[in-house]
Each structure stands twice: as structure tokens, then as C-alpha cells.
Amino acid sequence: MKLGIIGAMDEEVAKLSSLMTDKKTETIGVHEFFIGKLNNKEIVLSRSGIGKVCAAVTATLLIEKFKVDAVINTGIAGAVSTKLKIADIVFSTAAAYHDYDITVFGYKKGQVPMFEQYFKADEKLLQKSREITSAIKGFNVYEGVVLSGDQFISDKAKTRKMIETFPEALVTEMEGAAIAHVCTDLKVPFLVIRSVSDMADDDSPKASVDFMDIAVNNSVKIVCALIDKI
């Protein structure tokens, strides 16, 4: 199996890239691709750039040009659920857009015409993720909905509104649902893995920088463990 892995920022892919072997690099537009092996598994790791369009373009390129068999999105996120703490990990059961709204035409909030409100993660990948959680130490692992939008959320009033609309939501970020959308459309398995860097509140701009390293390190541990299982 050839696995595609997407992180939005340099900080989210640098550690994984440093662990790769037989590596070569290809750049298409602003999207950087690292082609090689990780834990002796064939992967294409990509730095997509931030936001839904960048993420969607990258996912499409991974599937259509690099012919990956499944896509994992990894990186940091803001906590929507109050049960989460900094550096906790979330595996997506599904992903949804919190900023997509054509409810005036009878659709659900976040629902794109021709699709369901939620883009459901691949059950086999999710099951593999469950198999590695028993060995996790030092942080908690949860399953739930990942929300995405072209906004950095730093307002608790907004997160409360998200929970009202998407009660299973755990975190919010800017790429996962777009990747899920592309994978659902093109019938490629996907899983979003996010590590909490901030609490989506007034302190988020500073916290996301201060806690990025620990959050990214935890996501790297999880991705590497998951790759071993696939």
C-alpha cells in the first residue's frame, strides 16, 4: 500500500520528513511532496499549505498523480470539546465544514450538495488506530468529528455554536474536511489525526505557537505507530 500523508505547515511535516528513507522531493505549485519510505512503508508526504483549497489540491494530486491508496491528514488543531487537553490526540470518525452554509435551500449546516453532512472516515484505518492506543502514554486519545473552515478559531462563543450544530465535534482546524471531501468524492480511504495545540479561545494565537512542538511530536508518534499497523 502506498500511503499519502498531508500536513499543512512545515512544522507539521518536518519531523516525519526527517524520518524518511530513500527520499526525493517534488514541488507542484506551492505544494511540496516527499516521496520515499517511512518505517519501510511506501509513502508520499506532503506540505499542502494552509486552508481548504490548498488541502483539496494536495489531496487530489496525491490521488491522481502519485496514486496513493489512502490518505492521512495530520497536524495541530484547536479543541472544541472541553474534555480535551493540550497535546491530546483525536482520530476522526468523520469530518465536516463548519463554515459551509446553504441551509436556506434546505441543506444541513456544512452539507455540500451531492454529499452527506459528514464525510465519514475509513473504518479500517480507524480500527487500525484503535489497535495502537493501548500503548499510548502521556496523553489521551479520542475519536470524534473534526471540523474545518477557513478561519483560525480563537473565540469560545464560536466553539459553543459549533457544538450546538455538531455535537460530536472535538476539534477545529482548516484542512481536514476538504481532504475528507476529496477522498470521499474519489473513493479513497482517509483518516484525520489531529493533536490539540490550543483551546480555541482568546489565548489560542499564543498557545498554538507555544504548544506546537509537543502537539506535533505526539501526532508524529501516532502516525508512525499507525504506519506500522497498516
Side-chain angles (χ1 to χ4, degrees):
M1 172 183 279
K2 183 189 290 187
L3 188 63
I5 303 174
I6 301 175
M9 301 182 291
D10 288 330
E11 294 90 341
E12 293 172 326
V13 302
K15 183 65 179 293
L16 286 169
S17 177
S18 72
L19 297 173
M20 292 176 66
T21 58
D22 302 327
K23 185 174 65 176
K24 61 181 181 180
T25 303
E26 184 170 345
T27 302
I28 304 174
V30 301
H31 316 280
E32 194 168 18
F33 298 88
F34 305 96
I35 304 130
K37 292 183 178 180
L38 182 60
N39 294 350
N40 291 317
K41 303 290 177 64
E42 191 175 3
I43 73 163
V44 183
L45 171 67
S46 178
R47 185 212 63 206
S48 65
I50 297 170
K52 295 186 298 186
V53 173
C54 286
V57 170
T58 301
T60 303
L61 287 169
L62 282 173
I63 295 165
E64 292 297 308
K65 177 176 173 59
F66 295 99
K67 307 299 181 184
V68 301
D69 300 299
V71 176
I72 292 175
N73 174 222
T74 185
I76 62 174
V80 174
S81 171
T82 57
K83 69 182 179 182
L84 297 179
K85 297 179 180 178
I86 296 293
D88 283 347
I89 291 286
V90 172
F91 293 119
S92 66
T93 54
Y97 296 121
H98 66 74
D99 62 347
Y100 192 103
D101 189 349
I102 53 171
T103 53
V104 67
F105 295 110
Y107 292 92
K108 297 176 181 178
K109 181 68 181 293
Q111 185 180 8
V112 178
M114 298 188 292
F115 295 91
E116 301 295 328
Q117 182 185 28
Y118 294 97
F119 302 104
K120 295 181 180 178
D122 181 69
E123 186 56 40
K124 290 182 180 179
L125 288 175
L126 196 54
Q127 182 56 44
K128 292 292 184 184
S129 73
R130 293 172 184 140
E131 293 174 11
I132 66 175
T133 56
S134 61
I136 299 302
K137 306 294 182 183
F139 54 93
N140 297 314
V141 180
Y142 297 93
E143 293 179 15
V145 170
V146 173
L147 297 179
S148 304
D150 284 323
Q151 305 167 15
F152 182 87
I153 303 299
S154 57
D155 183 341
K156 273 300 178 187
K158 288 184 178 180
T159 63
R160 286 192 293 269
K161 189 67 174 178
M162 289 179 190
I163 287 293
E164 290 174 9
T165 307
F166 305 96
E168 296 179 31
L170 295 183
V171 292
T172 181
E173 35 83 303
M174 298 178 67
E175 295 85 26
I179 293 164
H181 185 167
V182 169
C183 289
T184 300
D185 193 349
L186 300 180
K187 297 180 172 55
V188 172
F190 80 88
L191 183 67
V192 180
I193 303 171
R194 290 288 176 159
S195 184
V196 176
S197 61
D198 62 90
M199 306 309 292
D201 57 15
D202 291 344
D203 294 327
S204 288
K206 183 176 186 300
S208 65
V209 174
D210 290 346
F211 296 108
M212 180 177 290
D213 284 349
I214 186 172
V216 167
N217 284 340
N218 285 355
S219 69
V220 168
K221 290 176 185 177
I222 291 291
V223 169
C224 289
L226 181 58
I227 288 172
D228 277 339
K229 281 287 184 181
I230 296 175

